[in-house]
Amino acid sequence: MATVKELLRAEEDGTLSFGDYTLASKTKLDNFEFEGDLYKVKTFAEITKLERNGMFVYESVPGSAVENFKATDTEVAFRISAPEDVQFTLELQPESEYEVLIGGESAGKMTTNLSGKLSVSVELGEDTSTEVKVEKR
């Protein structure tokens, strides 16, 4: 199973990887500088949360490991790993429509709420890891 033992790391391809769902107690890493922004991660078995400049970016229940996380104005893409099915929430543009792709398959179109939150449940099955892409429509 994939975990990010550093809690948060910058990848050579310009993406971020974060989260360690194998931890028994909440662990955090603060003030991680990446591309001019400051990131904070809190992670353990029950939850993984990422913030950028003090603002919500990502949260999963239970905890997860996220690899190659890349967010632009029109798309968020990453690989998620967890020991069981997981629900994640992303902060996106308010009242906007997005298509969610899980493992390359469309999970349908979803609209963010007034605060821009989009929550998605992922059935991981035996693989325990899958690619996720959320594209603005």
Side-chain angles (χ1 to χ4, degrees), residues 61-82:
V61 176
S64 60
V66 175
E67 297 174 281
N68 303 107
F69 183 90
K70 178 97 176 153
T72 67
D73 289 342
T74 58
E75 178 180 287
V76 177
F78 56 93
R79 180 174 238 355
I80 188 169
S81 302

Side-chain angles (χ1 to χ4, degrees), residues 33-66:
E33 191 170 342
F34 179 72
E35 295 184 346
D37 294 309
L38 289 177
Y39 286 83
K40 176 181 184 178
V41 67
K42 296 178 196 172
T43 187
F44 74 124
E46 294 179 22
I47 192 168
T48 296
K49 186 172 185 178
L50 181 70
E51 296 177 359
R52 179 180 59 236
N53 300 326
M55 302 296 288
F56 178 87
V57 174
Y58 169 97
E59 181 177 278
S60 74
V61 176
S64 60
V66 175

Side-chain angles (χ1 to χ4, degrees), residues 77-114:
F78 56 93
R79 180 174 238 355
I80 188 169
S81 302
E84 59 189 87
D85 294 347
V86 66
Q87 179 176 341
F88 67 85
T89 302
L90 297 171
E91 177 79 34
L92 301 167
Q93 294 180 7
E95 298 182 308
S96 297
E97 186 176 72
Y98 292 85
E99 182 165 9
V100 178
L101 297 128
I102 309 226
E105 301 288 322
S106 177
K109 293 180 180 168
M110 300 177 187
T111 302
T112 56
N113 62 19
L114 284 170

